[in-house]
Amino acid sequence: MEKSEQTQSYSWILGIDVSKQSIDTCLIRSLDGQIFENKFNNNASGFRQLKQWCKQQQCECDATTLCCMEHTGLYTRLLVHYLVSREVAIWLESSLQIKRSQGLLRGKSDRIDAQRIARYAHVFQNKANVLEISTLTLEKLKDLQSNRKRLLTALQMLRTSTEELKQFDSSTGKLIDQTNREAVRGLEKSLEKVDDQILKFISEDESLKQKYDLMLSIKGVGKVLAAMLLVYTHGFNRLADGRKLACYSGVAPFVYESGSSIRGRTGVSKFANGDLKKVLHMAAISSAHHNPELKEYYERKVKEGKNKMSVINAVRNKLLHRIVAVVNRGTPYTPELKNS
């Protein structure tokens, strides 16, 4: 998620422990450290009650308030949207970071956890990573990409099973193919709508659209890969380094050796984002055939006797480093000029 470090001081600190059904709140007045506590339902009605309760304590629940909570995925989503609409500064912190900052802990309850979150935010508010508006767009993009993956999986299952059946039972295979034709067309149309919606959300955010267009300036980088990178790098506010992004994508080579007896092959780590790696792999293959620079590189290395998959992996790395470079630089990619 896109974040920015804040140095301002807040009049109010709101710590919230979020569960599926309820939210436990601890409000700290920065002026004197006084604490107020309450509990509300985790729904729109509960959020309105939270706002009214804050107002009773002289807190307007606006830009003067820093709200800190642990990231619990869907459980925090509605609350975050509501508070962002009121311009409250939102800080989603990892539970491990909060626990480590407080040493040995005794006792646990939702109420106690809300206190600990509030006290943590009160002490470290100058280091708060506050969510920016692009967070909500990236959140929607992530949901759409998950849906896109499900649609592709369904399409692949239908197509693969039908083609396999045709090989061994042609008549039944054709019958199944005709039966599934309407379903396949429906899935294809849904996939088109998802892709259109992804582009629409990106276009509505100036910062994301600029980075998206910069990535597309590199031949071989397509719309799917560019959108995925925006989501997984949180708008390039994380992993904005070629080596780190390559590690995350599972394409950074690592040496496997120890002492004088172990000499394994250099390889990539299996701890990686598999979905991103698959799309990046297809982009690298396309680049090796259609991007003049990378095509020349690929053919030269293969002629030198390099393993084809190793060269493709090198192409994947080159693509990622070029992507990071154009985004950080803020200018489109310019092909390297060959000396005549």
Side-chain angles (χ1 to χ4, degrees):
M1 291 186 178
E2 190 171 352
K3 299 182 178 181
S4 62
E5 290 194 357
Q6 303 292 314
T7 57
Q8 73 179 78
S9 295
Y10 296 91
S11 301
W12 297 89
I13 306 297
L14 180 61
I16 302 182
D17 183 72
V18 182
S19 63
K20 184 177 181 179
Q21 300 293 339
S22 61
I23 55 174
D24 284 79
T25 63
C26 178
L27 183 66
I28 299 179
R29 185 163 56 201
S30 297
L31 183 63
D32 55 9
Q34 186 171 350
I35 291 178
F36 308 91
E37 296 175 298
N38 211 328
K39 185 171 185 173
F40 307 94
N41 291 328
N42 189 3
N43 55 34
S45 176
F47 304 155
R48 288 192 293 270
Q49 292 174 13
L50 167 63
K51 182 191 71 172
Q52 293 170 2
W53 173 73
C54 286
K55 200 163 186 177
Q56 290 172 5
Q57 320 311 323
Q58 310 304 314
C59 171
E60 292 298 327
C61 202
D62 55 13
T64 64
T65 306
L66 172 65
C67 177
C68 182
M69 64 185 90
E70 297 172 358
H71 199 308
T72 55
L74 287 174
Y75 296 166
T76 60
R77 180 169 297 189
L78 287 176
L79 178 58
V80 167
H81 284 220
Y82 176 80
L83 294 174
V84 166
S85 70
R86 296 193 56 80
E87 299 184 349
V88 174
I90 306 295
W91 181 10
L92 295 179
E93 184 61 282
S94 73
S95 58
L96 182 60
Q97 183 66 30
I98 295 173
K99 288 175 182 176
R100 283 180 173 175
S101 71
Q102 297 176 351
L104 181 63
L105 301 176
R106 292 182 176 84
K108 175 175 174 58
S109 70
D110 293 340
R111 176 174 169 271
I112 292 174
D113 286 344
Q115 283 184 18
R116 288 170 176 164
I117 294 170
R119 293 185 188 280
Y120 171 84
H122 189 216
V123 173
F124 298 104
Q125 60 179 288
N126 63 318
K127 297 181 180 180
N129 286 322
V130 176
L131 298 181
E132 296 183 353
I133 195 64
S134 292
T135 298
L136 304 183
T137 301
L138 290 170
E139 191 177 75
K140 293 174 184 176
L141 289 176
K142 186 176 182 180
D143 289 339
L144 285 169
Q145 285 187 349
S146 296
N147 191 50
R148 187 180 194 279
K149 181 182 177 181
R150 288 190 289 269
L151 290 171
L152 282 173
T153 301
L155 269 172
Q156 186 176 5
M157 288 175 61
L158 288 175
R159 288 169 173 167
T160 302
S161 60
T162 303
E163 290 304 316
E164 288 180 347
L165 185 58
K166 283 181 179 179
Q167 294 177 16
F168 300 97
D169 189 339
S170 177
S171 60
T172 305
K174 289 180 180 178
L175 177 63
I176 297 297
D177 188 25
Q178 291 176 353
T179 304
N180 291 343
R181 195 163 295 168
E182 188 174 345
V184 170
R185 287 174 181 169
L187 288 170
E188 289 174 340
K189 288 181 180 178
S190 294
L191 193 59
E192 290 177 6
K193 289 180 180 179
V194 168
D195 287 337
D196 290 342
Q197 192 62 61
I198 287 174
L199 182 58
K200 179 176 180 291
F201 282 138
I202 291 175
S203 299
E204 290 173 351
D205 188 294
E206 186 177 346
S207 175
L208 295 180
K209 183 64 165 63
Q210 181 187 24
K211 294 170 184 176
Y212 179 79
D213 289 339
L214 287 171
M215 285 188 278
L216 293 184
S217 70
I218 303 169
K219 194 164 186 177
V221 177
K223 296 178 180 179
V224 175
L225 177 58
M228 289 182 77
L229 286 171
L230 285 177
V231 171
Y232 291 128
T233 64
H234 297 191
F236 285 91
N237 284 278
R238 294 182 184 176
L239 301 172
D241 174 270
R243 175 69 181 179
K244 290 180 180 178
L245 186 54
C247 289
Y248 178 77
S249 306
V251 301
F254 291 93
V255 176
Y256 183 74
E257 63 181 28
S258 178
S260 58
S261 58
I262 299 178
R263 287 289 186 275
R265 292 177 59 186
T266 297
V268 297
S269 172
K270 293 183 173 137
F271 298 99
N273 186 315
D275 294 333
L276 179 57
K277 186 175 181 178
K278 288 177 186 177
V279 176
L280 182 60
H281 179 72
M282 297 307 296
I285 292 177
S286 174
S287 297
H289 287 86
H290 304 293
N291 183 317
E293 290 177 294
L294 295 177
K295 180 180 181 181
E296 186 275 332
Y297 171 82
Y298 174 80
E299 293 175 347
R300 173 165 50 85
K301 288 297 180 181
V302 170
K303 285 180 182 178
E304 291 174 2
K306 299 289 185 181
N307 179 277
K308 288 185 177 180
M309 280 306 300
S310 295
V311 181
I312 285 293
N313 192 64
V315 172
R316 293 187 292 198
N317 270 282
K318 284 180 176 292
L319 281 176
L320 286 179
H321 280 78
R322 289 179 181 183
I323 287 169
V324 170
V326 297
V327 170
N328 289 340
R329 191 174 63 229
T331 56
Y333 179 75
T334 303
E336 295 179 3
L337 298 176
K338 296 286 185 181
N339 293 326
S340 57

